[in-house]
Amino acid sequence: MKDFKFHSPTKLFFGKDQIKVLANQLKTLNARRVLLVYGKSSLKKMGLYDRIISIFKEKDIFFKELSGVKPNPSIESVREGAKICKENNIELVLAAGAGSVLDCSKAIAAAAKYEGDPWDFNIGKKRITSALPIATILTLSATGSESNAGAVITNEETKQKLPLHSEHCKPVFSILDPQNTFSVSPYQTAAGTVDIMSHVFEQYFSANDDAYISDRLCEVVLKTCVNYVKDAIKKGDDYESRANLMWASTIGLNNLLSCGKITDWATHLIEHELSAYYDLTHGAGLSIITLSWMRYVLDKDNYQKFCDLGKTLFDMDEQASYDKAKRFIDRLEKFFLEIGMPVKLSEVNITDEYFDDMCENIKMVFGTVGNFRKLYPDDVRRILVNSL
Ligand code: NZQ
Ligand code: ZN
């Protein structure tokens, strides 16, 4: 098992009506001036916006708002948010929404403490050395952003979608009320669940196989997704399934599952290329690329882990073999289709038009991607072509 440091400083308030802790947490942090960041319309529709504003007013908290943060959040929103923070001496950024809102808020919090252009953090020109405190109220189970250090930002001008990571960007607290996800559409529920599953795959399919405990934890989180997503899709307000998916989202990507492991992340980096060029839901892109990646990297020496998943997720009891591993991938494809996810790029109207540019981006920024099997830009191209 690889050496590791596990540090998860985010206080998590999980369960029904946990918004009740908001005022007290802000007081504890001495945050009297807040920037509230949210998306387009869901926060207001579900009544959560009014609830937050009434808490601000009741407790006499000065606040500014940044609304309209789009899925695959843009660097423009980050610049705008940072400007508001600087002009108003904001002391804490409160993100209320899904992953894009949370990611945008993290980048804003770091940019608020930086005089240069925030894109510098994404292209690695500058390291984040401080940030305003960030708190989150999560409304969609997917990214794990509610308790991790990452944020993914899109630069529409340069057609790049790049992550940043900093301990300074870990939320100080997150409110995780599964009821706030009742209104998530079946499509976004499925996409969010595929995102959770993909995070786990990225950690499960690793370059070392001696972290037994992490692998078993991965399997439990994946099984949770498979067990509960259909109920959540069928009945949006099914608390048990929403609660299990929400906790799966959080532990799916807060470093716990990667303890002791050399993780992969090729699928994510390829998907980020697609969603940099197209208005594509992250989880939908992952559904397509995961299958193509699995089929590409599977070989006669590494089929065991695919077979283990076949047994855990779909009760495929046969003896492990290369053919069984292939059948597991087919079964996973069937599952993605059953929950309404696309499995081919043609279903989301993506052609090979930008494949060369995408591979060039990968070559320039990362050189290679993945560790389970190291992939060169040519491999990435084949994975994309096989997904058409
Ligand atoms: O804008 P609003 O009106 O809020 O609508 C959103 C948006 O249209 C809607 N939504 C959110 N909560 C809702 C709701 N609709 C009804 N009821 C609710 N309760 O959902 C739509 C999608 O939102 P988005 O934020 O894009 O979804 P998600 O949470 O999947 O986030 C995806 C983004 O996170 C990044 C992705 O690349 C993508 O940009 N990621 C961030 C990671 C991280 N920080 O660690 C890791 C991930 O792998 C991922 O890359
Ligand atoms: Zn993801």
Side-chain angles (χ1 to χ4, degrees), residues 39-42 46 71-73 98-100 103 139-140 142-143 145 148 150-152 161 180 183-184 188 195 199 253 268 272 282:
K40 206 170 153 205
S41 56
S42 68
M46 73 174 100
N72 305 316
S100 298
D103 284 7
T139 67
L140 193 157
T143 64
S145 190
N148 70 32
V152 189
K161 180 174 176 181
N180 289 336
S183 54
V184 177
Q188 289 291 348
D195 190 23
H199 297 154
L253 191 53
H268 264 71
H272 287 169
H282 176 58

Short mmCIF file of all heavy atoms in Angstrom, two decimals, residues 39-42 46 71-73 98-100 103 139-140 142-143 145 148 150-152 161 180 183-184 188 195 199 253 268 272 282, ligand 1:
data_model
loop_
_atom_site.label_atom_id
_atom_site.label_comp_id
_atom_site.label_asym_id
_atom_site.label_seq_id
_atom_site.Cartn_x
_atom_site.Cartn_y
_atom_site.Cartn_z
N GLY A 39 -26.92 28.86 -9.13
CA GLY A 39 -27.05 28.61 -10.57
C GLY A 39 -28.19 29.41 -11.18
O GLY A 39 -28.43 30.57 -10.81
N LYS A 40 -28.92 28.74 -12.09
CA LYS A 40 -29.89 29.48 -12.88
C LYS A 40 -31.22 29.63 -12.13
O LYS A 40 -31.60 30.74 -11.75
CB LYS A 40 -30.09 28.74 -14.20
CG LYS A 40 -30.55 29.62 -15.33
CD LYS A 40 -30.48 28.86 -16.64
CE LYS A 40 -31.50 29.41 -17.62
NZ LYS A 40 -31.89 28.42 -18.62
N SER A 41 -31.92 28.52 -11.93
CA SER A 41 -33.28 28.68 -11.38
C SER A 41 -33.64 27.70 -10.27
O SER A 41 -34.59 27.93 -9.53
CB SER A 41 -34.29 28.54 -12.52
OG SER A 41 -34.08 27.29 -13.17
N SER A 42 -32.90 26.59 -10.15
CA SER A 42 -33.36 25.53 -9.24
C SER A 42 -33.42 25.98 -7.77
O SER A 42 -34.34 25.62 -7.05
CB SER A 42 -32.49 24.28 -9.38
OG SER A 42 -31.19 24.51 -8.90
N MET A 46 -36.93 25.65 -5.59
CA MET A 46 -37.13 24.72 -4.47
C MET A 46 -37.31 25.46 -3.13
O MET A 46 -37.46 24.82 -2.09
CB MET A 46 -36.01 23.68 -4.41
CG MET A 46 -34.69 24.22 -3.93
SD MET A 46 -33.50 22.88 -3.74
CE MET A 46 -32.60 23.08 -5.22
N PRO A 71 -23.67 25.12 -15.83
CA PRO A 71 -22.96 23.84 -15.80
C PRO A 71 -21.64 23.98 -16.58
O PRO A 71 -21.61 24.69 -17.59
CB PRO A 71 -23.91 22.88 -16.52
CG PRO A 71 -25.26 23.49 -16.33
CD PRO A 71 -25.05 24.97 -16.31
N ASN A 72 -20.60 23.32 -16.16
CA ASN A 72 -19.25 23.51 -16.71
C ASN A 72 -18.89 25.00 -16.52
O ASN A 72 -18.81 25.76 -17.50
CB ASN A 72 -19.14 23.10 -18.18
CG ASN A 72 -19.60 21.67 -18.40
OD1 ASN A 72 -19.25 20.78 -17.63
ND2 ASN A 72 -20.40 21.44 -19.42
N PRO A 73 -18.72 25.42 -15.28
CA PRO A 73 -18.65 26.87 -14.98
C PRO A 73 -17.49 27.57 -15.67
O PRO A 73 -16.41 27.01 -15.82
CB PRO A 73 -18.48 26.90 -13.46
CG PRO A 73 -17.87 25.59 -13.12
CD PRO A 73 -18.43 24.61 -14.10
N ALA A 98 -25.24 22.76 -7.26
CA ALA A 98 -24.58 21.52 -7.64
C ALA A 98 -23.10 21.77 -7.87
O ALA A 98 -22.57 22.83 -7.52
CB ALA A 98 -25.26 20.96 -8.88
N GLY A 99 -22.43 20.78 -8.46
CA GLY A 99 -20.97 20.83 -8.59
C GLY A 99 -20.44 22.09 -9.26
O GLY A 99 -19.42 22.65 -8.84
N SER A 100 -21.12 22.55 -10.30
CA SER A 100 -20.61 23.71 -11.03
C SER A 100 -20.59 24.95 -10.14
O SER A 100 -19.64 25.74 -10.18
CB SER A 100 -21.46 23.97 -12.28
OG SER A 100 -21.35 22.86 -13.14
N ASP A 103 -17.76 24.45 -7.57
CA ASP A 103 -16.44 24.63 -8.18
C ASP A 103 -16.15 26.11 -8.46
O ASP A 103 -15.07 26.62 -8.18
CB ASP A 103 -16.34 23.85 -9.50
CG ASP A 103 -16.17 22.35 -9.26
OD1 ASP A 103 -16.26 21.92 -8.10
OD2 ASP A 103 -15.93 21.63 -10.25
N THR A 139 -27.05 20.62 -3.65
CA THR A 139 -28.40 20.31 -4.15
C THR A 139 -28.42 19.20 -5.21
O THR A 139 -29.46 18.93 -5.80
CB THR A 139 -29.06 21.58 -4.75
OG1 THR A 139 -28.35 21.97 -5.93
CG2 THR A 139 -29.10 22.72 -3.75
N LEU A 140 -27.28 18.59 -5.48
CA LEU A 140 -27.25 17.49 -6.47
C LEU A 140 -26.09 16.56 -6.11
O LEU A 140 -24.98 17.04 -5.87
CB LEU A 140 -27.07 18.08 -7.88
CG LEU A 140 -27.29 17.20 -9.11
CD1 LEU A 140 -27.62 18.06 -10.32
CD2 LEU A 140 -26.11 16.31 -9.44
N ALA A 142 -23.25 14.21 -6.86
CA ALA A 142 -22.44 13.87 -8.03
C ALA A 142 -20.94 14.04 -7.78
O ALA A 142 -20.20 13.05 -7.68
CB ALA A 142 -22.84 14.70 -9.25
N THR A 143 -20.50 15.26 -7.66
CA THR A 143 -19.07 15.55 -7.84
C THR A 143 -18.17 15.29 -6.64
O THR A 143 -16.97 15.13 -6.80
CB THR A 143 -18.87 17.04 -8.22
OG1 THR A 143 -19.32 17.85 -7.13
CG2 THR A 143 -19.66 17.40 -9.46
N SER A 145 -17.53 17.61 -4.69
CA SER A 145 -16.92 18.93 -4.48
C SER A 145 -17.22 19.47 -3.08
O SER A 145 -16.48 20.30 -2.55
CB SER A 145 -17.44 19.89 -5.55
OG SER A 145 -16.74 21.10 -5.55
N ASN A 148 -14.14 18.16 -1.09
CA ASN A 148 -12.80 17.94 -1.63
C ASN A 148 -12.13 19.26 -2.04
O ASN A 148 -12.71 20.33 -1.93
CB ASN A 148 -12.80 16.91 -2.78
CG ASN A 148 -13.46 17.42 -4.05
OD1 ASN A 148 -13.43 18.60 -4.38
ND2 ASN A 148 -14.08 16.51 -4.78
N GLY A 150 -10.94 20.06 -5.06
CA GLY A 150 -10.90 20.29 -6.51
C GLY A 150 -11.96 21.24 -7.02
O GLY A 150 -13.01 21.44 -6.39
N ALA A 151 -11.70 21.82 -8.17
CA ALA A 151 -12.68 22.64 -8.88
C ALA A 151 -12.30 22.58 -10.36
O ALA A 151 -11.12 22.66 -10.70
CB ALA A 151 -12.65 24.08 -8.40
N VAL A 152 -13.31 22.41 -11.21
CA VAL A 152 -13.02 22.32 -12.65
C VAL A 152 -13.66 23.52 -13.34
O VAL A 152 -14.86 23.75 -13.21
CB VAL A 152 -13.58 21.00 -13.23
CG1 VAL A 152 -13.07 20.81 -14.66
CG2 VAL A 152 -13.17 19.81 -12.38
N LYS A 161 -10.89 23.02 -20.45
CA LYS A 161 -11.58 22.77 -19.18
C LYS A 161 -10.56 22.12 -18.27
O LYS A 161 -10.14 20.99 -18.51
CB LYS A 161 -12.79 21.86 -19.42
CG LYS A 161 -13.57 21.56 -18.15
CD LYS A 161 -14.84 20.78 -18.43
CE LYS A 161 -15.53 20.43 -17.13
NZ LYS A 161 -16.75 19.67 -17.28
N ASN A 180 -32.92 18.33 -0.43
CA ASN A 180 -32.59 19.37 -1.43
C ASN A 180 -32.30 18.77 -2.79
O ASN A 180 -32.08 19.52 -3.75
CB ASN A 180 -31.39 20.21 -0.97
CG ASN A 180 -31.75 21.11 0.20
OD1 ASN A 180 -32.91 21.44 0.38
ND2 ASN A 180 -30.76 21.49 0.99
N SER A 183 -35.81 17.50 -6.18
CA SER A 183 -36.26 18.10 -7.44
C SER A 183 -35.32 17.83 -8.61
O SER A 183 -35.57 18.28 -9.73
CB SER A 183 -36.41 19.62 -7.25
OG SER A 183 -35.21 20.16 -6.75
N VAL A 184 -34.24 17.13 -8.37
CA VAL A 184 -33.29 16.85 -9.47
C VAL A 184 -33.97 15.92 -10.49
O VAL A 184 -34.57 14.91 -10.11
CB VAL A 184 -31.99 16.22 -8.93
CG1 VAL A 184 -31.05 15.88 -10.07
CG2 VAL A 184 -31.30 17.16 -7.94
N GLN A 188 -30.57 14.24 -14.72
CA GLN A 188 -29.45 14.74 -13.89
C GLN A 188 -29.15 13.77 -12.75
O GLN A 188 -28.01 13.66 -12.32
CB GLN A 188 -29.76 16.14 -13.34
CG GLN A 188 -29.75 17.25 -14.37
CD GLN A 188 -28.35 17.56 -14.92
OE1 GLN A 188 -27.34 17.11 -14.39
NE2 GLN A 188 -28.30 18.31 -16.00
N ASP A 195 -21.42 9.95 -12.55
CA ASP A 195 -20.23 10.71 -12.13
C ASP A 195 -19.64 10.08 -10.85
O ASP A 195 -18.44 9.85 -10.76
CB ASP A 195 -20.61 12.18 -11.91
CG ASP A 195 -19.40 13.08 -11.70
OD1 ASP A 195 -18.29 12.70 -12.13
OD2 ASP A 195 -19.55 14.16 -11.10
N HIS A 199 -15.95 8.38 -10.54
CA HIS A 199 -14.91 8.73 -9.55
C HIS A 199 -14.38 7.48 -8.88
O HIS A 199 -13.18 7.33 -8.62
CB HIS A 199 -15.47 9.67 -8.47
CG HIS A 199 -15.93 10.98 -9.03
ND1 HIS A 199 -16.89 11.75 -8.45
CD2 HIS A 199 -15.55 11.64 -10.16
CE1 HIS A 199 -17.09 12.83 -9.18
NE2 HIS A 199 -16.29 12.78 -10.22
N LEU A 253 -15.51 11.02 -3.56
CA LEU A 253 -14.36 11.82 -4.02
C LEU A 253 -13.91 12.80 -2.94
O LEU A 253 -13.99 14.01 -3.11
CB LEU A 253 -14.71 12.55 -5.32
CG LEU A 253 -13.53 13.20 -6.06
CD1 LEU A 253 -12.41 12.21 -6.31
CD2 LEU A 253 -13.99 13.80 -7.39
N HIS A 268 -11.84 10.83 -16.84
CA HIS A 268 -12.23 12.20 -16.54
C HIS A 268 -11.52 13.22 -17.45
O HIS A 268 -12.13 14.16 -17.94
CB HIS A 268 -11.98 12.53 -15.06
CG HIS A 268 -13.22 12.35 -14.25
ND1 HIS A 268 -13.74 11.11 -13.97
CD2 HIS A 268 -14.06 13.26 -13.68
CE1 HIS A 268 -14.85 11.27 -13.27
NE2 HIS A 268 -15.07 12.56 -13.07
N HIS A 272 -13.37 15.74 -19.89
CA HIS A 272 -13.24 17.20 -19.77
C HIS A 272 -12.95 17.84 -21.14
O HIS A 272 -13.39 18.95 -21.42
CB HIS A 272 -12.13 17.56 -18.78
CG HIS A 272 -12.53 17.31 -17.34
ND1 HIS A 272 -11.64 17.35 -16.30
CD2 HIS A 272 -13.73 17.01 -16.79
CE1 HIS A 272 -12.27 17.09 -15.16
NE2 HIS A 272 -13.54 16.87 -15.44
N HIS A 282 -21.59 16.48 -17.73
CA HIS A 282 -20.38 15.73 -17.35
C HIS A 282 -20.65 14.21 -17.21
O HIS A 282 -19.94 13.39 -17.79
CB HIS A 282 -19.88 16.33 -16.03
CG HIS A 282 -18.71 15.65 -15.41
ND1 HIS A 282 -17.51 15.49 -16.07
CD2 HIS A 282 -18.54 15.09 -14.18
CE1 HIS A 282 -16.66 14.87 -15.26
NE2 HIS A 282 -17.26 14.61 -14.11
O1 NZQ B 1 -28.44 26.08 -12.63
P1 NZQ B 1 -29.52 25.44 -11.86
O2 NZQ B 1 -30.85 26.04 -12.10
O3 NZQ B 1 -29.18 25.34 -10.39
O4 NZQ B 1 -29.68 23.92 -12.40
C1 NZQ B 1 -28.70 22.90 -12.23
C2 NZQ B 1 -27.98 22.56 -13.53
O5 NZQ B 1 -28.78 22.85 -14.64
C3 NZQ B 1 -29.43 21.62 -11.91
N1 NZQ B 1 -29.70 21.42 -10.49
C4 NZQ B 1 -28.86 21.49 -9.45
N2 NZQ B 1 -29.50 21.20 -8.31
C5 NZQ B 1 -30.79 20.96 -8.63
C6 NZQ B 1 -30.94 21.10 -10.02
N3 NZQ B 1 -32.11 20.94 -10.65
C7 NZQ B 1 -33.19 20.62 -9.90
N4 NZQ B 1 -33.12 20.45 -8.56
C8 NZQ B 1 -31.94 20.61 -7.90
N5 NZQ B 1 -31.90 20.39 -6.58
O6 NZQ B 1 -28.53 20.60 -12.34
C9 NZQ B 1 -27.84 21.05 -13.49
C10 NZQ B 1 -26.42 20.55 -13.49
O7 NZQ B 1 -25.65 21.20 -12.55
P2 NZQ B 1 -24.06 20.97 -12.46
O8 NZQ B 1 -23.58 21.85 -11.39
O9 NZQ B 1 -23.42 21.11 -13.77
O10 NZQ B 1 -23.99 19.44 -12.07
P3 NZQ B 1 -22.87 18.57 -11.36
O11 NZQ B 1 -23.04 18.56 -9.89
O12 NZQ B 1 -22.90 17.28 -12.04
O13 NZQ B 1 -21.47 19.32 -11.65
C11 NZQ B 1 -20.76 19.11 -12.83
C12 NZQ B 1 -19.49 19.95 -12.83
O14 NZQ B 1 -18.60 19.54 -11.80
C13 NZQ B 1 -17.32 19.22 -12.37
C14 NZQ B 1 -17.68 18.79 -13.76
O15 NZQ B 1 -16.59 18.80 -14.63
C15 NZQ B 1 -18.75 19.78 -14.14
O16 NZQ B 1 -18.16 21.00 -14.55
N6 NZQ B 1 -16.60 18.26 -11.53
C16 NZQ B 1 -16.09 18.67 -10.35
C17 NZQ B 1 -15.35 17.84 -9.54
C18 NZQ B 1 -14.79 18.28 -8.25
N7 NZQ B 1 -14.95 19.52 -7.87
O17 NZQ B 1 -14.16 17.52 -7.55
C19 NZQ B 1 -15.07 16.46 -9.93
C20 NZQ B 1 -15.97 15.97 -10.98
O18 NZQ B 1 -15.37 14.87 -11.59
C21 NZQ B 1 -16.33 16.95 -12.04
O19 NZQ B 1 -15.30 17.04 -13.00
#
